[in-house]
Structure formats: C-alpha cells, structure tokens
Amino acid sequence: MYTDGGCDLYKRIGGWGVVVVQDGVSAIDEFSDVVSDPGVTNNICELLAFEKALSLAPEYNAATIISDSQYVVIGYNKWMHNWVKNDWLKNKYGVDNREEAPIYIKNLNIWHRIYDKYSSDITAKWVKGHDGNEFNELADILASKYRDEIEKLK
C-alpha cells in the first residue's frame, strides 16, 4: 500500500490518498478524502492516509505501508513506542526549556488511533516523494483530487 497526504496551508484544505498494490505491479484499489479544517497541516494529511491504510491492511493482507513522509514512517516504526513509554509526552521529562507544563507530541489524537491499530506484522517503509515511483505518484494525485475539486467550486 502507498499513502500520501498534503495540504494548501494558505487555504487550509488538504487531502489524502491510499493506493492498494497487488504483487508490487498493479494498483487494485484506491481511497481518498478531503481534509478541511483550520488546523490542517501536511503531517495531519500524511497521518490520516497512513491511518486509513492501517485500517485496510488486514482486508488486503498488506504487510508494508509505503509513505514519502519520514515523520510517519519513523513515527510508526520507532518513535511511537517511546512516546507510549513516556505517556505521549514530547520527551521523557514532558517539558522543554521554554515551558513548565507537560508538552504532548503533535497530532496526538491521530497517533493514538494509529497506535490502536498497530500490528507488528505491518511495517512502514519510506520512499522518496516526487521521484517517479508510479504508486507514490498516484497516491499524490489522489491526495490532491478533492482539494482541487473544492477549489473549482469556490
């Protein structure tokens, strides 16, 4: 499965796409949606795409989810387990030099949902974006689809 997400930070409209690939050679299914929220970011859209892929993985017997977001890939494969140990705090102390109140990781609600769907049978793999990978490019097109359609309606 390939995932992608992105947004227009000025217009606060984003989208995500998931491409289900069979045997690494053909796309057999596609999923996408729009994200319209004043707080939308590229990382949020990337996470929502990954979350959708995790939900679909058992149905398609997928063992690998491929994303061009290192934030998502490293977050899922490595950081998430440390965040859980640290009660989802940014660091084990929960504070940084500027603040005294606990600082939780960004996009905590989405990471919680991803953690609930976590499976050691599924790994995340990084691919360079916009580098000619057919399925990554298709996921990018899907992520932009609704965003572009909404723009036409305005």
Side-chain angles (χ1 to χ4, degrees):
M1 286 189 190
Y2 284 77
T3 68
D4 203 5
C7 77
D8 183 321
L9 293 173
Y10 296 106
K11 297 174 184 165
R12 294 297 182 192
I13 298 171
W16 57 260
V18 175
V19 178
V20 181
V21 178
Q22 184 174 31
D23 300 326
V25 295
S26 61
I28 60 168
D29 223 337
E30 301 171 356
F31 301 86
S32 61
D33 204 356
V34 68
V35 182
S36 182
D37 182 281
V40 71
T41 65
N42 284 321
N43 281 343
I44 286 171
C45 294
E46 294 278 6
L47 284 168
L48 292 173
F50 191 82
E51 178 186 14
K52 180 65 175 182
L54 272 176
S55 298
L56 295 167
E59 178 181 343
Y60 290 97
N61 296 317
T64 304
I65 300 173
I66 301 167
S67 171
D68 61 12
S69 168
Q70 290 191 20
Y71 169 66
V72 171
V73 171
I74 297 170
Y76 182 79
N77 289 334
K78 183 177 178 181
W79 296 338
M80 188 170 62
H81 307 293
N82 289 329
W83 291 333
V84 169
K85 289 178 193 172
N86 295 328
D87 295 324
W88 297 96
L89 294 170
K90 186 176 175 180
N91 60 51
K92 68 180 177 179
Y93 305 108
V95 297
D96 64 19
N97 294 333
R98 299 175 303 250
E99 313 238 358
E100 292 187 21
I103 300 172
Y104 291 92
I105 64 163
K106 290 184 179 181
N107 308 312
L108 179 61
N109 58 335
I110 305 170
W111 279 113
H112 267 239
R113 295 192 310 258
I114 288 172
Y115 182 73
D116 289 344
K117 294 173 178 76
Y118 174 81
S119 168
S120 61
D121 296 332
I122 299 171
T123 59
K125 181 179 173 188
W126 181 77
V127 65
K128 185 175 182 182
H130 309 284
D131 198 40
N133 180 296
E134 173 187 3
F135 302 118
N136 177 255
E137 298 293 338
L138 180 54
D140 183 66
I141 290 168
L142 291 171
S144 302
K145 182 173 82 169
Y146 286 110
R147 196 172 68 215
D148 296 343
E149 287 177 13
I150 287 173
E151 280 304 303
K152 290 177 188 174
L153 295 174
K154 288 185 175 183

